[in-house]
Structures are given as C-alpha cells and as structure tokens.
Amino acid sequence: MGSLFRSEAMCLAQLFLQSGSAYDCVSELGEIGLAEFRDLNPHVSAFQRKYVGEMKKCEELERILDYLVKEMRKSDIHVSDGVSLPAAPLPKHVLEIQEQLQKLEAELREVNKNKEKLRRNLLELTEYTYMLRVTQNFVQRSTEHETAAHSSYEEFPALEKESLMDYTCMQRLGAKLGFISGLVHYAKLESFERMLWRVCKGYTILTYQELDEFIEDPESKEPTKWVVFLVSYWGDQIGQKVKKICDCFHCHVYPYPNSVEERKNIMSGINTRIQDLHTVISQTEDYLKQVLFKASESIYKWVVQVKKMKAIYHILNLCSFDVTNKCLIAEVWCPVDDLPSIRKGLEEGSSGASIPSFINRIPSSDTPPTLIRTNKFTAGFQNIVDAYGVGDYREVNPAPYTIITFPFLFAVMFGDFGHGFLMSLFALLMVLYETNPKLHRTQNEIVRMFFEGRYIILLMGLFSIYTGLIYNDCFSKSVNIFGSSWNVSAMYPDGSSIKKHVNSTFLALDPNVTGVLKGIYPFGIDPIWNLATNRLTFLNSFKMKMSIILGVSHMTFGVVLSVFNYLHFKKTFNIFLVFIPEFIFMVFIFGYLVFMIVYKWLAWSAEFSKDAPSVLLHFIHMFMFATDKNNLPLYKSQFGIQVFLMVIVFLCVPVLLFGKPMYLYWQHHGGQTFASYRKGYQLVRHGSEEELSLLRSHDLEEGEDHTNSESQHEQSKETFDFAEIFMHQCIHTIEYCLGCVSNTASYLRLWALSLAHAQLSEVLWSMVMRMGLKVAPDVGVFLLMPAVAVFATLTIFILLVMEGISAFLHALRLHWVEFQKKFYSGDGYKFTPFSFHDMCLSLEREHAL
C-alpha cells in the first residue's frame, strides 16, 4: 500500500537479448507485465523494421481467425473465453498453426461456395415455380375469354382480333409469335412497361401479376416483392429488343413452355429437384456446423496465441541490433522493486540458450512514467484522479484521501437516509455479483460505467446514510428515533393553542422560551424541526456555515500536502518561500473566518441570539481595517488581532511573489546551499576510487548521476530564464490569492445542493404520496398503489439518478479545482507495461458488432 500514497520508484534499464532467445525472453516479460519498452527506432518506418514479415504473417492469421469467428456467429455457435490464457506459441509451432488455419479456411470457403451455389439454384427453381404457376392462370383466363369456335387448345387467344396489331400484315411478313417470361422487381415494373411500349412501338403484349410472397433478392439477401410478367411479341428483332430490355432491368428470365404437357413435365421435374436441393443443403449445413463446432474448441487458444505472437514481434521491432547483429538491445522502464522478477523472467526465457540474456540499469535524465498499483477497490478512485491528469513521477497521490473526502462531500449534498440506503443496496448487489462474466463483458456503456464504479457508489451511499441521519431526512421525512428534546407546550400555555397551531401547519420554534428545551437530541437534528415553519431558516444557517468549515478544512489540507512534495523532491526553499506564505494566507483569513463561526456558536447562546454580532460584517470590516459601532465585537481586542492578521497576510504576498524567483536567480548565479558545500567537502575528503564507485552506485539508485552534475549545472545556467520564472510565479500568486476567495465561495455549493435535494424530495412527497394518502380509505386502496409506483419511479430517476449525477459532478469539481490544485500538477504520463493480461482478449467484446 506504500505506492498508493506516492508512485512507485522507477528506473531505466537496458536489456541485452540474444537473437535466438529474444522471442522467449519477451514472451516471459509479457507474462510478468512489469516492463514498458521504449522505441529505439523512432525514425524507421514500420515497413523497414526487422520483423515486418512476421508481423504480416500474424495479420494474415488474424484475418483468418476473424473469418472463422464470423462464420461461427452466423451458425449460432457460441465462442466463449477460456479459463486461462494459453502461452505464446514457440516459433517452431507457428507454421503448424498457420497450416491448420489455412486448411480450415480453404475448407470453409469451399463449403460456403457450394452452399451458396445450391441456394442460388434453389432460389431460381422457386422463382421458376412461381412463374409457371402464375402464367398458367394467364392461360386459364385467356381460354375462358375465348369463343367456342376454337376447338383446339391454344396457349393464348388469337391475335386477329387485336386492335393494336395488324395480324394479317405480320403473317404475310413471316413474323413468328414468341414469348418471354420471368420476374421483375416491383419497383421497376412501371419503368419496365413504359420502356417496352416505347422501344417495341406497341408490337408487344405485357401481362403481369404481383406475387403474394416475398422472395429473397440474390444480390441484397433481403426479402423483396417481385412481379411475374409474360411478354408476347412478333418477330425475332422485337424479341431481341425485349431480351435486352429485360437484361437492362435485371429481370430473372426463365423458359416458357410451349404446351400444357411440357408445362406439367417441367413442374414435376422442378419439384423433384427442389426436394433434392433441400436435402443437400441441409446436409451441407450440418457438415458446416460440425466443422465450425470442432474449430470452436480451439479458436480461443488460436486467437490468444496469435495476439501474443503479434505483440512479441511488435516489441522486437522496437529493439535495436548491435554491430554484430547477434544481440538485440532494448530499453525499458520498470519498477525498482521488480528488477529481480524481470531478471528471473530473462533467465527463464534464455534457459536453453548458450549465452544468457541480462538487464543493466542505466542513468537517464528523462522523466519516468507514473505507476500507482491499485486493486478493485481503489481503482475507481484512482481513475477519478487520473481523469484530471496523471500525476508527476513520485508526486503525492490524492487518491487515498479522495477515498474518504469524495463520498463524504457527495453525501453532504445528497444527505438522505432513504436515498442513501437504496444507492448502497444497488452498489452492494453489483459488488456481490462482481464475478459474473456478463457484467465484465457487457457492451452497454452505462452499465459498464456503474459496474466499474461500484465501490464508489457503495461508499457514497453509506456516507449518504450517515449525513441523512445527521440531517434526519428519510424521503424528506424526519424519523423520531430518540424522541424530541423540545417541549412545545411551553410555548403555548393554553392547550388549545397547540392544537390550533399544529393543525394550521404554523409552528415556529423559539428556543428562547423557558422550558421549551428538555435537553440535547443525541444524534443529528431534532425531528420537531420537520414541522416548524422556520425550519428552512435554521437549516440555511446550519448548512451554510458547515459548508464554509468543510471547504476551508479541505483546502488547508491540500496546502499541507504540498509540503510532502517539497520534502521529497528536496526543494526546501519552497517550504519557506511558497508553502508558509500560502498557509498563512489561507489560515489567517479563512481559518480566522472558521474560528469566528465556531466561537460565535460557543460564546453566544440562543438566549442572546438577537444581540449576537454578525460574522459576515466582522469579516468585511477586517479587510477595511474598520469597526462597526452597531455590531458588537466577538471578543476583546478583536480589532487589534484582525489588524495584526491582515498585516501578516499582506507581508506574505510579496514573499510569495518575489521569494522563489529571487532565490532561483541567486542560486543560478553563483549562490550555493549548505548541502552543496557539504557534498563537495565529502568528495574531496573521501576521494578514493572505491568510495566514489559506491557513491556513484548510490546515485544510480536515487536516479541521479553526479558525474554529469557539473555539465547539467552549466546547462541549467544557460537555460535559466528569470523573466519566465517570475511571470510564472506572478500568475501562481494571483491565482492562489484570488482562488482562495473564489474556492471558499465554491464550497457553498454543498449548502445549495443539499437544500435543493431536500426541497425536491419534499415536493415529490407532497405532490404524489400525500395525494394518495389523503383519499378516503375505501377509495385510497386503489389509488395508493399507483401513487407508490409513481413515487418510486420518480424517486429513482429524478432523485437518485439525476440528483446523484449532479452531486457527483459537483464533488468532482471540488476535488479537481479546489483541492488538487493546491499540491497536484497532474502533468505526468501513465506507466503502460507490456502485459498479456492487459490485452483485449474477449472474443465477445471484439466481435460484438
């Protein structure tokens, strides 16, 4: 847990990997997950790196696996994650995996190709069946329309009587009567008919009928409405035009039978072929499912192995070769405490090699990444801090304090026992079922957000129960747990007056009346205040002053935490030139305001409350160096003490403004601290080679290199810019001084949102539940259940969800702006180690589209 308060100590190390065992070593480091690799080839493109061929091979295998998974989804074969992650495959086993996958892909593609051909044939035969059935109706209607003079059966009525054609003329020219039948898309029918008329100049007859069933479109694979048509034409030239028009409109044209006998034979043959196709397609699908089901047993293993193999080669591409091309050199950031684990992993990876791989720490002036180890409880709070910015290396981490302050400030704004209980119950259910894989693999972003913050919600609910007990609010109603400490009858000697005032909902509590107080309520606010008309006035004063006290305490704590940063980074001058002026400015102004609030509570009782001085007026006169004769002083010598405090505050501002820039200017222009003199004395006094080597090794452990201290000192002199530092300090001073005022006022949101939540709960109760409870008992039984349902729904969606999100965002702002800015910069970058466990290996999440 030590790393929770401050990030882990990191170091830069060099890995020397033998070419033969580099793959195995990187695989072991990926299983450990403690090293972040640096790119040593930043100017080399991805296509010119050493292992680009292996990367392409892995991408090809990923393409095959993606195809297999999609086919399994189509066949409704469940692909589940395995219990454990398989190890990365050895290079000699990669060829075997590649052959298996390529063979499986070729087989599946061949089966799918044959299946698609069979389905197309089945679709064509089905369309042919519909065409024959519909055109037979055309013939029946034509024969019924024929006169009895025709003794022989004809497919179509005689065309001598057609007014649109000159039958005798066409017969003299030797033109033959022809037919073209098929199916056309319903949306193209009108254009198709118009085109036939214009191109063929009326020498065609179009007969069509819309199908009742939807037939699948071969191109779009969607159910489509089709129309069966029959075109009668004269002559081969017109027939060629009709065929071209059908091709243009993508019509499905089928042969038309010349006789009834031929039609029956075709129908019989088609029905037989359709039955055979159904049988063959069913057998093909069964075989396809068997192949896919067998492949599903190994698909998870293959996906994980290919991903690991690709990640290993990606890391190897970040390494550089030595001059002999027999050794790979890598640079990694890793925690100092985990160096033995990395050495052990390198030894296991190079166990079969003649020359072992090894690690060597190297000094670096680069800023290391930030690593803060978390668990499932602290991860949510650390994410809240990291959302503001990842902390600098070894900077104080606000997350441990946020675990307490964040849910507490939320609860101050959300204080209600009933609402807090429901929120805690909801979070507790997610905690109890946190091992459910469905919650981990859910695609719903809202559900995932709530699940990842389940412990935050649990603490917010528990703290809301605590503050709700203090406010004595449970769904806007007070709970009389210990019995009221007020004796209201003392305010009204006549008993009838009590009944009159209570029934008229006019009850103003006055603590100055003798005998009205029987004692102190043990915990929280007395429930009698829920009936008082001056309840809002009392709660306003209480919550406003409470917000100021909590806000000043929170900000002062943030200023105090900055001392630990100064001490750790050995910037002692910041303690005297930054921290002490900031602390005095905060405490002497706003800490004094808190003192006046508490002192007034203790020194002025309710008996003399009308004559009590105004804290706000005293605070204003403090800045004006004035007194108010109409406002009594809080204590003796108040004016002198306030003048003294303001003088000290005004003296702290120039120290905060000029102290740090002047000290840095003096330090970089010949000034030296006592520590530098002492260090120089030690190097001269104890200058043996053995002791110098020990000092150098100690400096490497601390991340410093004294051998380069002189060159760094000269470089810092050249880059020192007094104007820039002074301008930065001016901005910091102005921001801090003005921010103390605005930030203190910002904490008043605790008071505002608390009152808003309480009033909204009371409005919801009075407009919904009270209306259901007021109805007569015989009717109220039927109205109470809907009222309870509406009340529960509005409570969940408005008071719990909407108000909860509002209070959450306000608590987030108070931590980011008012608290963390006092000591936390958040300009670092996160430690992202090469780890197989952090890879996205869930097939259901990857292929959820």
Side-chain angles (χ1 to χ4, degrees), residues 526-575:
D526 197 296
I528 194 66
W529 283 102
N530 191 53
L531 303 175
T533 56
N534 55 344
R535 173 174 178 263
L536 192 59
T537 305
F538 166 72
L539 291 180
N540 265 334
S541 176
F542 166 71
K543 293 184 177 181
M544 179 179 64
K545 294 174 182 177
M546 178 194 64
S547 301
I548 295 296
I549 295 174
L550 292 177
V552 173
S553 303
H554 199 211
M555 290 189 295
T556 305
F557 179 63
V559 175
V560 172
L561 287 178
S562 63
V563 178
F564 298 97
N565 281 332
Y566 301 147
L567 291 175
H568 177 79
F569 294 113
K570 299 179 180 179
K571 296 181 179 180
T572 313
F573 64 91
N574 279 335
I575 297 178

Side-chain angles (χ1 to χ4, degrees), residues 3 22 47 67 84 130 171-172 195 225 227 287 289 337 390 407 526 567 570 582 629 644 751 796:
S3 64
F47 302 100
Y67 169 74
S84 60
Y130 282 119
Q171 195 175 21
R172 285 196 301 269
M195 182 65 70
K225 197 72 173 178
V227 176
Y287 176 73
K289 285 187 177 181
D337 295 338
V390 179
D526 197 296
L567 291 175
K570 299 179 180 179
E582 288 181 350
K629 296 180 180 179
F644 171 76
W751 158 50
I796 292 174

